[in-house]
Structures are given as structure tokens and as C-alpha cells.
Amino acid sequence: MTSRLKSLVIAAIAGLALLGGVSTSIAQTTSPVLRSWMSPDIADAWTKGYKGQKTTITIVDDFSSGSKFTGNLGTGSLLYRHGEWTRLEASMIAPLATIKSQSFYSGTTVPLASGLNVLNLSYGMYAKGTYSLGQLGWSAQESSIISYAKYGRAVTVKAAGNDGIAIGSTNAAGNKDFLNLALVGAPSAIYVGALTSNGTVAKPASLASYSNKAGTNTAVQSHFLVVGVESSKTGLAGTSFAAPIISGYASILGSKFTTATPTQITNQLLNTARKDTLLNYNATTFGMGEASLSRALAPLTIR
Amino acid sequence: MGRTLPEVDRRNNLHGQEHWQGGITAGLLLALVLLTAWSSPTLAQEQGVAVHLIDMAQDSELSATAASLADGWYDASVNSRVSGYELADGTPVSFGDWYHSDWPDTRVDLLTQFGDDFGLLWGFSTGERGEKYTVDPSLRIGFVAQAHPAANSVLSLTVRAVAWGDLNEQPCEGDYGEIGGVQTVNCRLAATFLAPEETLQYLAHAEPNRLHISLSYSASF
């Protein structure tokens, strides 16, 4: 089992040498600004004062490697590591959330804070597609993440992957993302695919060509969302940058529904996703549809 | 005949919800005053008393306040007004359905004149009711007195008090399903990022201008 674990490769966008697993947190102090890549829903959240307060988003990602790339989330061109980008993005969506960072090289248990916890996983755990899930052993880090999702202890937001295939399928290199597979059926897990833009009824969006899709497994479809990743505006492409948007949405929902469980937050995002903003919607591609923060915050009925 | 004097601006104070107060009592008092005034014309004539209808209008600022609730608010982030929202399934909800009335608040002001320089002001307003708000009926009572400092000049004092007549917004029952259950919520703010229970502190409440005092001087040349 251990030898098989060694064959498990962290294949996040920037996968470099292990430099330690330091958990840090940052606080946003600047006033939030609606950036062109964001949905207008988000600004409405801020104007009402809901910015993710009393929730914690833990970004499990690369914060220490030498791999950096340039992007611009509206705050000027920056040269950041992968985790620094996803952390910045999530903190821009939910600026008052407590943002914690854990190096995905650490392998240590991801700690949970009090209140609503959201885990952002903009990475995958790849191994040869010939393995079965049961053959693999997980580090304490992934074991804790999978457990939190399975037992509804944290909203677990997982980037769908950038192979242009269905969740759970083997990619062109013959590998599978086993973290995706391990989260199938977990009640508080959400897979996030990337659209080319934020969809509207007038201008429905398409799935980005690189984005993984939901596939035919209904257990995946029912936990699969899509959001716009407007890479033409940010220089950042990939489902890695779709997941932090959903993490931020979950955090803002937690600001409003302060007693809701992670599973309830998850279901609210899934059940209120829009299908009419997607070009040729079908569940195999888009799962539950495009996440809509405004609808997730609205009542089912009012009288 | 007594003179009516320009009213000071009414003041609307939007703050926390208060309970409806005494509309029925106001109506009864009003009916009593009306009955007394109009059923004794002989007595009125003998005592040099005359009753005048001096104003009747549908210009209540609280009606305007209620209408403004239907207008929603301006959202700078999307550069447009928010006058409704979508429910979780996309069903549109318009504030206009909740904040309109077929019968706007109507004000009637009368003057019972005692002699040349003194009159009792009295009147009422009908109030109005929409699906999610009420403007209570009000009772308006006061006096006007005037003096003649010179042969060609008049100094007038008008005092009028208004009882009841408050605007109160009613809450809604919002069903947030599994995530939030059924909660009492401010109808307008149910789909915002405020926690449902926190929206209640923004229920509109406004009062009419309770006391009107006016002093005027006019001279003829």
C-alpha cells in the first residue's frame, strides 16, 4: 500500500519539491472592489455587508515552490505561486472570511476551525488509471479532506480538472484523478468545472475546452457546478480558478445562514444553480448548472 | 373666516418596527367630532360658530413613502434599481405587488370658527393599506388665532397636532428550505445577503409630522 502511495503524484498545476507544510492565515483589510471577472452577484453581497465573515476557507495548495506565473485579478499584474493565486481569488470573493493556507505537500491533517469550514482543493491526486481506488493509501491530509466531505464537516470544493474528460475518467497520459474519485458520493463535496465566461440568459456560456465535465455518473452530476473563468481578463485559466469562486460563494452563504451545516450549504449551491445561462445545457457536461449566488441566497417561496 | 397657513414640511423617520396604534380609536373620535359639528347648526349659528371645509387632499407623504418601498433601491454595483428579486427557482418577485393601495391616504381638514380671530382646526386622514404595509388613520387637531398689530396687518399663529397615522411595514414568511427553514423576514430584503432575522430591523416605520406650528405676518399696502 505504501509503495502504491509513493506512486501517487501530486499533479497540481504547479507541482514542485516539498518545502514544508506550514499553515498560515491572512486577513483582508482593503475594501473589496468588483472586478470584471466577477459575477455582479458578488458586489451585491458586499453592499449588504456579507463578505464571508465568521467562516473559514482553507486553501490546500502550493505556497512554497519556485513555480510562479503571471496573472492579473484586477489588482495589477503579479507573479505568484499557484496557491497564492487561488488564495487571493477566494479572499477577493469573500474578503472577510478567515483564509487559511496549507501546503499540499505537507501531508498533514487539515485542521478545521470553529464555524463553517470550506476547503478549496485546486489540485488533483493522479495515479495510473489501472489502479482502483481501494488500492490506494492516502496521506493524513487527503484522508482528513475525504473524511470531512464524507461526513459533512466541511464544504469541500474540488477543481474538476483540466483534461477535458469526464470526472473519474483516464486522461491522455493514462492517469486518473483519484481525489475526484474518492469524493464521489460525499454529501458536502462539490466539483467545479470552468465556463469560458459568466453566463447570462442573453449570452449563455460554454464549458471551457480544457475543463473536465460531469460525465454520466449521476452521483457526480448531482455534485457538479460550473462557473465562469474569464481568463481573457485575468490571464489565469483552469478549473483551479473556478473552485475558489465556489469556495467564496459557500463562505458568503455561511455568512447569511449562520447555523447551516456544510451539507446544507453544499445542497443550496447545487440546487439553485442555473441552467438557462448555459449553452445547450445537459447534465453530462454541466452537472447541476452554473452557480448563482443570488438564487442561493433567495427563499424558495415568500408570502 | 379663519386663515389656513402654510404647513411646515412633514418628516419621515424610518426606523425600527413599532406596532400599529389606535386606528380604530382615532376613527371613533373622529366620528364623534364630526357628528357634534354637523348635527348642531342652530347652536353653531347662535354662538357665532361656523364650520368650514378648508382642505381635502391625497398628498400624504407617508403614501409616498409606501410607494418608495415599491421602488426598491439603487444598486451602484450593477448601475440599476433593485425593485424585486428572483426566488431560488428563478420565479420573479416584484415589490410593486406588495406596496400599492387602491385607496391612498386621504386627508380632510376643517375649521370651526369662533369669532373673527380664533378657530379650531380639526380633521382626519383615512389611512391606507397595502398587502405589506399600513398607514393608520390619523386625527388632526389644533387651532388658528390671529391678531391685528396694525389696521392693515395680520399676525397669525397656527398650531396643529397629529395623532396616530403611522406607516408600518409588515413582514413576510420566507421558506428557505433545508438551509434556513421558514422564517419571518423583511419581504424586500429576503433575497439579500442579510441573515433572515437581521432583515427585520429594516422594516419601515414612519410617523407623520406630529406637531405643526406656524407663525405668519402679512401686511397690505
Side-chain angles (χ1 to χ4, degrees), chain A residues 34 40-48 50 252-253 255-260 263-265 267-268 271-272 274 293-303, chain B residues 73 75 77-78 85-91 93 98 132 171-180 183 185-187 189-198:
Chain A
L34 184 74
D41 277 355
I42 298 163
D44 198 22
W46 297 338
T47 59
K48 305 300 181 304
Y50 279 79
I252 288 174
L253 264 183
S255 297
K256 174 161 181 164
F257 300 105
T258 53
T259 60
T263 300
Q264 289 172 332
I265 297 283
N267 289 340
Q268 187 75 357
N271 294 334
T272 57
R274 298 186 67 156
L293 184 57
S294 58
R295 288 193 177 181
L297 291 157
L300 302 171
T301 62
I302 192 156
R303 59 183 174 79
Chain B
W73 59 87
D75 186 340
S77 66
V78 291
Y85 50 80
E86 291 182 340
L87 297 176
D89 65 355
T91 304
V93 172
W98 291 328
K132 291 300 176 187
C172 284
E173 291 291 316
D175 182 358
Y176 291 92
E178 180 192 357
I179 195 170
Q183 300 199 42
V185 66
N186 183 316
C187 308
L189 303 178
T192 68
F193 303 84
L194 291 169
E197 66 275 15
E198 291 180 22

Coordinates of all heavy atoms in Angstrom, one line a residue, chain A residues 34 40-48 50 252-253 255-260 263-265 267-268 271-272 274 293-303, chain B residues 73 75 77-78 85-91 93 98 132 171-180 183 185-187 189-198:
Chain A
L34 N -15.5 45.2 -7.1 CA -16.0 44.2 -8.1 C -15.1 44.3 -9.3 O -14.9 45.3 -9.9 CB -17.4 44.5 -8.5 CG -18.0 43.5 -9.4 CD1 -18.3 42.2 -8.7 CD2 -19.2 44.0 -10.1
P40 N -21.7 40.0 -11.0 CA -22.3 41.1 -10.3 C -23.0 40.7 -8.9 O -23.1 41.5 -8.0 CB -23.4 41.7 -11.2 CG -22.9 41.2 -12.6 CD -22.3 39.9 -12.4
D41 N -23.4 39.5 -8.9 CA -23.9 38.9 -7.6 C -23.0 39.2 -6.4 O -23.5 39.5 -5.3 CB -24.1 37.4 -7.7 CG -25.4 37.0 -8.4 OD1 -26.2 37.9 -8.7 OD2 -25.5 35.8 -8.6
I42 N -21.8 39.2 -6.7 CA -20.8 39.3 -5.6 C -20.8 40.7 -5.0 O -20.8 40.9 -3.7 CB -19.4 38.9 -6.1 CG1 -19.4 37.5 -6.5 CG2 -18.4 39.1 -5.0 CD1 -18.2 37.1 -7.4
A43 N -20.9 41.7 -5.8 CA -20.9 43.1 -5.3 C -22.1 43.3 -4.4 O -22.1 44.0 -3.4 CB -20.8 44.1 -6.4
D44 N -23.2 42.7 -4.9 CA -24.4 42.8 -4.1 C -24.2 42.3 -2.7 O -24.7 42.8 -1.7 CB -25.6 42.1 -4.8 CG -26.9 42.6 -4.3 OD1 -27.0 43.7 -3.8 OD2 -27.9 41.8 -4.5
A45 N -23.5 41.2 -2.6 CA -23.2 40.6 -1.3 C -22.4 41.6 -0.5 O -22.7 41.8 0.7 CB -22.4 39.3 -1.5
W46 N -21.5 42.2 -1.0 CA -20.6 43.1 -0.3 C -21.4 44.4 0.2 O -21.2 44.8 1.3 CB -19.4 43.6 -1.1 CG -18.5 42.5 -1.5 CD1 -18.4 41.3 -0.9 CD2 -17.6 42.6 -2.6 NE1 -17.4 40.6 -1.6 CE2 -16.9 41.3 -2.6 CE3 -17.3 43.5 -3.6 CZ2 -16.0 41.0 -3.6 CZ3 -16.3 43.2 -4.5 CH2 -15.7 42.0 -4.5
T47 N -22.3 44.9 -0.7 CA -23.0 46.1 -0.3 C -23.9 45.8 0.8 O -24.3 46.7 1.6 CB -23.9 46.6 -1.5 OG1 -24.8 45.6 -1.9 CG2 -23.0 47.1 -2.7
K48 N -24.3 44.6 1.0 CA -25.1 44.2 2.2 C -24.3 43.8 3.4 O -24.8 43.5 4.4 CB -26.1 43.1 1.8 CG -26.9 43.3 0.6 CD -27.8 44.5 0.8 CE -28.7 44.7 -0.4 NZ -28.0 44.8 -1.7
Y50 N -22.1 41.3 3.6 CA -21.8 39.9 3.7 C -20.6 39.5 2.9 O -20.7 39.5 1.7 CB -23.1 39.1 3.4 CG -23.9 39.1 4.7 CD1 -24.7 40.2 4.9 CD2 -23.8 38.1 5.6 CE1 -25.3 40.3 6.1 CE2 -24.4 38.2 6.8 CZ -25.2 39.3 7.1 OH -25.9 39.4 8.2
I252 N -19.9 33.0 1.7 CA -20.9 34.1 1.8 C -22.2 33.5 2.2 O -22.9 34.1 3.0 CB -21.0 34.9 0.4 CG1 -19.7 35.7 0.2 CG2 -22.2 35.7 0.4 CD1 -19.6 36.4 -1.1
L253 N -22.6 32.4 1.7 CA -23.8 31.7 2.1 C -23.7 31.4 3.6 O -24.7 31.6 4.3 CB -24.0 30.4 1.4 CG -24.8 30.3 0.1 CD1 -24.9 28.9 -0.4 CD2 -26.2 30.9 0.4
S255 N -22.3 33.1 5.8 CA -22.5 34.4 6.5 C -23.9 34.7 6.7 O -24.3 35.3 7.7 CB -21.9 35.6 5.7 OG -20.5 35.5 5.5
K256 N -24.8 34.3 5.7 CA -26.2 34.5 5.9 C -26.9 33.5 6.7 O -27.7 33.8 7.6 CB -26.8 34.6 4.5 CG -28.4 34.7 4.5 CD -29.0 35.2 3.2 CE -30.5 35.4 3.4 NZ -31.1 36.2 2.3
F257 N -26.6 32.2 6.4 CA -27.2 31.1 7.1 C -26.2 30.6 8.1 O -25.5 29.6 7.9 CB -27.7 30.1 6.1 CG -28.7 30.6 5.1 CD1 -28.3 30.8 3.8 CD2 -30.0 30.9 5.5 CE1 -29.2 31.3 2.9 CE2 -30.9 31.4 4.6 CZ -30.5 31.6 3.3
T258 N -26.2 31.3 9.2 CA -25.1 31.1 10.2 C -25.2 29.7 10.9 O -24.2 29.3 11.5 CB -25.0 32.2 11.2 OG1 -26.3 32.3 11.8 CG2 -24.7 33.5 10.6
T259 N -26.3 29.1 10.9 CA -26.5 27.8 11.5 C -26.5 26.6 10.5 O -26.7 25.5 11.0 CB -27.7 27.8 12.4 OG1 -28.9 27.9 11.6 CG2 -27.7 28.8 13.5
A260 N -26.4 26.9 9.3 CA -26.5 25.9 8.3 C -25.2 25.0 8.3 O -24.1 25.4 8.6 CB -26.6 26.5 6.9
T263 N -23.2 20.5 4.6 CA -24.0 19.8 3.6 C -25.2 20.6 3.2 O -25.5 20.6 2.0 CB -24.5 18.4 4.2 OG1 -23.4 17.6 4.6 CG2 -25.4 17.7 3.2
Q264 N -25.8 21.4 4.1 CA -26.9 22.3 3.7 C -26.4 23.4 2.7 O -27.0 23.7 1.8 CB -27.6 22.9 4.9 CG -28.4 21.8 5.7 CD -28.9 22.4 7.0 OE1 -28.3 23.2 7.6 NE2 -30.0 21.8 7.5
I265 N -25.2 23.9 3.1 CA -24.6 25.0 2.2 C -24.3 24.4 0.8 O -24.7 25.0 -0.2 CB -23.3 25.5 2.8 CG1 -23.6 26.2 4.2 CG2 -22.6 26.4 1.8 CD1 -24.2 27.6 4.1
N267 N -25.8 21.8 -0.6 CA -27.0 21.5 -1.4 C -27.7 22.7 -1.9 O -28.2 22.7 -3.0 CB -28.0 20.7 -0.5 CG -27.5 19.3 -0.2 OD1 -26.7 18.7 -1.0 ND2 -28.0 18.7 0.8
Q268 N -27.5 23.8 -1.1 CA -28.2 25.1 -1.5 C -27.5 25.6 -2.8 O -28.1 26.0 -3.8 CB -28.1 26.1 -0.4 CG -28.8 27.4 -0.7 CD -30.3 27.3 -0.6 OE1 -30.8 26.2 -0.3 NE2 -31.0 28.4 -0.8
N271 N -28.6 23.1 -5.6 CA -30.0 23.1 -6.0 C -30.5 24.4 -6.6 O -31.5 24.4 -7.2 CB -30.9 22.7 -4.8 CG -30.6 21.3 -4.3 OD1 -30.3 20.4 -5.1 ND2 -30.9 21.1 -3.0
T272 N -29.7 25.4 -6.5 CA -30.1 26.7 -7.0 C -29.3 27.1 -8.3 O -29.4 28.2 -8.7 CB -30.0 27.8 -6.0 OG1 -28.7 27.9 -5.5 CG2 -31.0 27.6 -4.8
R274 N -28.1 27.6 -12.0 CA -28.9 27.9 -13.2 C -28.6 27.1 -14.4 O -27.4 26.8 -14.6 CB -28.8 29.4 -13.6 CG -29.2 30.3 -12.4 CD -29.1 31.8 -12.9 NE -30.1 32.1 -13.9 CZ -30.6 33.3 -14.2 NH1 -30.2 34.3 -13.5 NH2 -31.5 33.5 -15.1
L293 N -25.1 32.8 -7.0 CA -25.1 33.3 -5.6 C -26.4 33.9 -5.2 O -27.0 33.7 -4.1 CB -24.0 34.2 -5.3 CG -23.7 34.7 -3.9 CD1 -23.5 33.5 -3.0 CD2 -22.5 35.6 -3.9
S294 N -27.0 34.7 -6.1 CA -28.2 35.4 -5.7 C -29.4 34.4 -5.5 O -30.2 34.6 -4.6 CB -28.6 36.5 -6.8 OG -28.7 35.8 -8.0
R295 N -29.4 33.4 -6.3 CA -30.5 32.4 -6.1 C -30.3 31.6 -4.9 O -31.2 31.1 -4.2 CB -30.7 31.6 -7.4 CG -31.3 32.4 -8.5 CD -31.7 31.5 -9.6 NE -32.4 32.2 -10.7 CZ -32.9 31.7 -11.8 NH1 -32.9 30.4 -12.0 NH2 -33.5 32.5 -12.7
A296 N -29.0 31.3 -4.6 CA -28.7 30.5 -3.4 C -29.1 31.2 -2.2 O -29.4 30.6 -1.1 CB -27.2 30.2 -3.4
L297 N -29.1 32.6 -2.2 CA -29.5 33.4 -1.0 C -31.0 33.6 -0.9 O -31.4 34.2 0.1 CB -28.7 34.7 -1.1 CG -27.2 34.5 -0.9 CD1 -26.5 35.7 -1.5 CD2 -26.9 34.4 0.6
A298 N -31.7 33.3 -2.0 CA -33.1 33.7 -2.0 C -34.0 32.6 -1.4 O -33.6 31.4 -1.4 CB -33.6 33.9 -3.5
P299 N -35.2 33.0 -0.9 CA -36.1 31.9 -0.4 C -36.7 31.1 -1.5 O -36.8 31.6 -2.7 CB -37.1 32.7 0.4 CG -37.1 34.1 -0.3 CD -35.7 34.3 -0.7
L300 N -37.2 30.0 -1.2 CA -37.9 29.1 -2.2 C -39.3 29.8 -2.5 O -39.7 29.8 -3.6 CB -38.1 27.7 -1.6 CG -36.9 26.9 -1.3 CD1 -37.3 25.6 -0.6 CD2 -36.1 26.6 -2.5
T301 N -39.9 30.2 -1.4 CA -41.2 30.9 -1.5 C -41.3 32.1 -0.5 O -40.5 32.1 0.5 CB -42.4 30.0 -1.2 OG1 -42.3 29.5 0.2 CG2 -42.4 28.7 -2.1
I302 N -42.1 33.0 -0.8 CA -42.3 34.1 0.1 C -43.8 34.5 0.0 O -44.4 34.6 -1.0 CB -41.4 35.3 -0.1 CG1 -41.4 36.2 1.0 CG2 -41.6 36.0 -1.5 CD1 -40.1 37.1 1.2
R303 N -44.3 34.8 1.2 CA -45.7 35.3 1.2 C -46.0 36.1 2.4 O -45.2 36.1 3.3 CB -46.7 34.1 1.2 CG -46.5 33.2 2.4 CD -47.4 32.0 2.3 NE -47.2 31.0 3.4 CZ -47.6 31.2 4.6 NH1 -48.4 32.2 4.9 NH2 -47.3 30.3 5.5
Chain B
W73 N -34.3 50.1 -4.3 CA -33.1 50.9 -4.0 C -32.2 50.8 -5.2 O -32.3 49.9 -6.0 CB -32.4 50.5 -2.8 CG -32.0 49.0 -2.8 CD1 -30.8 48.6 -3.3 CD2 -32.7 47.9 -2.4 NE1 -30.7 47.2 -3.2 CE2 -31.9 46.8 -2.6 CE3 -33.9 47.7 -1.8 CZ2 -32.3 45.5 -2.3 CZ3 -34.3 46.4 -1.5 CH2 -33.5 45.3 -1.7
D75 N -28.7 50.1 -6.8 CA -27.5 49.3 -6.6 C -26.4 49.8 -7.5 O -26.4 49.5 -8.7 CB -27.8 47.8 -6.8 CG -26.7 46.9 -6.5 OD1 -25.5 47.4 -6.4 OD2 -26.9 45.7 -6.2
S77 N -23.5 48.8 -7.8 CA -22.6 47.8 -8.4 C -23.1 47.3 -9.8 O -22.3 46.9 -10.6 CB -22.4 46.6 -7.5 OG -23.7 45.9 -7.3
V78 N -24.4 47.3 -10.0 CA -24.9 46.9 -11.3 C -25.6 48.1 -12.0 O -26.2 47.9 -13.0 CB -26.0 45.8 -11.1 CG1 -25.3 44.5 -10.7 CG2 -27.0 46.1 -10.1
Y85 N -36.7 40.7 -6.9 CA -35.7 39.7 -7.0 C -36.3 38.4 -7.5 O -37.5 38.3 -7.8 CB -35.0 39.5 -5.6 CG -36.0 39.2 -4.5 CD1 -36.5 38.0 -4.2 CD2 -36.3 40.3 -3.6 CE1 -37.4 37.8 -3.2 CE2 -37.2 40.1 -2.6 CZ -37.7 38.8 -2.4 OH -38.6 38.6 -1.3
E86 N -35.4 37.4 -7.7 CA -35.8 36.1 -8.1 C -35.8 35.1 -6.9 O -34.8 35.2 -6.1 CB -34.9 35.5 -9.2 CG -35.1 36.3 -10.5 CD -34.2 35.7 -11.6 OE1 -33.2 35.0 -11.2 OE2 -34.5 35.9 -12.8
L87 N -36.8 34.3 -6.8 CA -36.7 33.2 -5.8 C -35.7 32.2 -6.2 O -35.1 32.3 -7.3 CB -38.1 32.6 -5.7 CG -39.2 33.5 -5.2 CD1 -40.6 32.8 -5.2 CD2 -38.9 34.0 -3.8
A88 N -35.5 31.2 -5.4 CA -34.4 30.3 -5.6 C -34.6 29.5 -6.9 O -33.7 29.1 -7.6 CB -34.4 29.3 -4.5
D89 N -35.9 29.4 -7.4 CA -36.1 28.7 -8.6 C -36.3 29.6 -9.8 O -36.6 29.2 -10.9 CB -37.4 27.8 -8.5 CG -38.7 28.7 -8.3 OD1 -38.5 29.9 -8.2 OD2 -39.8 28.1 -8.4
G90 N -36.0 30.9 -9.6 CA -36.0 31.9 -10.7 C -37.3 32.6 -10.8 O -37.4 33.5 -11.7
T91 N -38.3 32.3 -10.0 CA -39.6 33.0 -10.1 C -39.4 34.4 -9.7 O -38.9 34.7 -8.6 CB -40.6 32.3 -9.2 OG1 -40.7 31.0 -9.5 CG2 -42.0 33.0 -9.3
V93 N -40.1 38.1 -8.3 CA -40.9 38.8 -7.3 C -40.8 40.3 -7.4 O -39.6 40.8 -7.5 CB -40.4 38.3 -5.9 CG1 -41.1 39.1 -4.8 CG2 -40.7 36.8 -5.6
W98 N -46.6 44.4 -3.6 CA -46.8 44.5 -2.1 C -47.1 45.9 -1.6 O -47.7 46.1 -0.6 CB -45.5 44.0 -1.4 CG -45.3 42.5 -1.5 CD1 -46.2 41.5 -1.6 CD2 -44.0 41.9 -1.5 NE1 -45.6 40.3 -1.7 CE2 -44.2 40.5 -1.6 CE3 -42.7 42.3 -1.4 CZ2 -43.2 39.6 -1.7 CZ3 -41.7 41.4 -1.5 CH2 -41.9 40.0 -1.6
K132 N -48.4 44.7 2.2 CA -47.4 44.5 3.1 C -47.1 45.8 3.9 O -46.0 46.0 4.4 CB -46.1 44.1 2.4 CG -46.2 42.6 1.9 CD -46.4 41.6 3.0 CE -46.6 40.2 2.5 NZ -47.0 39.3 3.5
P171 N -44.0 42.1 7.8 CA -43.0 41.2 7.4 C -43.7 40.1 6.5 O -44.9 40.0 6.4 CB -42.5 40.6 8.7 CG -43.6 40.7 9.6 CD -44.4 41.9 9.2
C172 N -42.8 39.2 5.9 CA -43.3 38.1 5.1 C -42.8 36.8 5.8 O -42.0 36.8 6.7 CB -42.6 38.1 3.8 SG -43.3 39.3 2.6
E173 N -43.4 35.7 5.4 CA -42.9 34.4 5.7 C -42.1 33.9 4.6 O -42.6 33.6 3.5 CB -44.0 33.4 6.0 CG -44.8 33.8 7.3 CD -44.0 33.5 8.6 OE1 -43.3 32.5 8.6 OE2 -44.0 34.4 9.5
G174 N -40.8 33.7 4.8 CA -39.9 33.2 3.7 C -39.5 31.8 4.0 O -39.1 31.4 5.1
D175 N -39.6 30.9 3.0 CA -39.3 29.5 3.2 C -37.9 29.3 2.5 O -37.8 29.3 1.2 CB -40.3 28.6 2.6 CG -40.0 27.1 2.7 OD1 -38.9 26.8 3.3 OD2 -40.8 26.3 2.3
Y176 N -36.9 29.1 3.3 CA -35.5 28.9 2.7 C -35.2 27.4 2.6 O -34.0 27.1 2.4 CB -34.5 29.6 3.6 CG -34.6 31.1 3.6 CD1 -35.4 31.8 4.5 CD2 -33.9 31.8 2.6 CE1 -35.5 33.2 4.4 CE2 -34.0 33.2 2.5 CZ -34.8 33.9 3.5 OH -34.9 35.3 3.4
G177 N -36.2 26.6 2.7 CA -35.9 25.2 2.5 C -35.0 24.6 3.6 O -34.9 25.0 4.7
E178 N -34.2 23.6 3.1 CA -33.3 22.9 4.0 C -32.3 23.8 4.7 O -32.0 23.6 5.9 CB -32.6 21.8 3.2 CG -31.6 20.9 4.0 CD -30.7 20.1 3.1 OE1 -30.9 20.2 1.9 OE2 -29.9 19.4 3.7
I179 N -31.9 24.8 4.0 CA -30.8 25.6 4.6 C -31.2 26.5 5.7 O -30.4 26.9 6.6 CB -30.0 26.4 3.5 CG1 -28.7 26.9 3.9 CG2 -30.9 27.5 2.9 CD1 -27.8 27.4 2.9
G180 N -32.5 27.0 5.6 CA -32.8 28.0 6.6 C -34.2 27.9 7.2 O -34.6 28.6 8.1
Q183 N -38.9 31.3 7.9 CA -38.5 32.4 8.8 C -39.3 33.7 8.5 O -39.7 33.9 7.3 CB -37.0 32.7 8.7 CG -36.1 31.5 9.0 CD -34.7 32.0 9.3 OE1 -34.5 33.0 10.0 NE2 -33.8 31.3 8.8
V185 N -39.4 37.4 7.8 CA -38.3 38.1 7.1 C -38.9 39.4 6.5 O -40.1 39.5 6.2 CB -37.7 37.2 6.0 CG1 -38.7 36.9 4.9 CG2 -36.4 37.8 5.5
N186 N -38.0 40.4 6.4 CA -38.4 41.6 5.6 C -38.6 41.2 4.2 O -37.7 40.7 3.5 CB -37.3 42.6 5.8 CG -37.6 44.0 5.1 OD1 -38.1 44.0 4.0 ND2 -37.3 45.0 5.8
C187 N -39.8 41.4 3.6 CA -40.1 41.0 2.3 C -39.1 41.5 1.3 O -38.7 40.7 0.4 CB -41.5 41.5 1.9 SG -42.8 41.1 3.1
L189 N -36.0 42.4 1.7 CA -34.6 42.0 1.9 C -34.4 40.5 2.0 O -33.4 40.1 2.3 CB -34.1 42.7 3.1 CG -34.2 44.2 3.1 CD1 -33.7 44.8 4.4 CD2 -33.4 44.8 1.9
A190 N -35.5 39.8 1.7 CA -35.4 38.3 1.9 C -34.4 37.6 1.0 O -33.8 36.6 1.4 CB -36.8 37.7 1.6
A191 N -34.0 38.2 -0.1 CA -33.1 37.5 -1.0 C -31.7 38.2 -1.0 O -30.9 38.0 -1.8 CB -33.6 37.5 -2.4
T192 N -31.5 39.1 0.0 CA -30.2 39.7 0.1 C -29.3 38.9 1.0 O -29.7 37.8 1.4 CB -30.3 41.1 0.7 OG1 -30.7 41.0 2.1 CG2 -31.4 42.0 0.0
F193 N -28.2 39.5 1.2 CA -27.2 38.7 2.0 C -27.3 38.9 3.5 O -26.5 38.3 4.2 CB -25.8 39.1 1.5 CG -25.7 38.9 0.0 CD1 -26.1 39.8 -0.9 CD2 -25.2 37.7 -0.5 CE1 -26.1 39.6 -2.3 CE2 -25.1 37.5 -1.8 CZ -25.5 38.4 -2.7
L194 N -28.3 39.6 3.9 CA -28.6 39.7 5.3 C -29.2 38.4 5.8 O -30.0 37.8 5.1 CB -29.6 40.8 5.6 CG -29.1 42.2 5.3 CD1 -30.2 43.2 5.4 CD2 -28.1 42.6 6.4
A195 N -28.8 38.0 7.0 CA -29.5 36.9 7.6 C -31.0 37.2 7.8 O -31.3 38.3 8.1 CB -28.8 36.6 8.9
P196 N -31.8 36.2 7.5 CA -33.3 36.5 7.6 C -33.7 37.3 8.8 O -34.5 38.2 8.7 CB -33.9 35.1 7.5 CG -32.9 34.3 6.8 CD -31.6 34.8 7.2
E197 N -33.2 36.9 10.0 CA -33.6 37.5 11.2 C -33.1 39.0 11.3 O -33.7 39.8 11.9 CB -33.2 36.8 12.4 CG -31.7 36.7 12.7 CD -31.1 35.5 11.9 OE1 -31.7 35.0 11.0 OE2 -29.9 35.2 12.3
E198 N -32.0 39.2 10.6 CA -31.4 40.6 10.6 C -32.2 41.6 9.7 O -32.1 42.8 9.9 CB -30.0 40.6 10.2 CG -29.1 39.9 11.3 CD -27.6 39.9 10.8 OE1 -27.2 40.7 10.0 OE2 -26.9 39.0 11.3

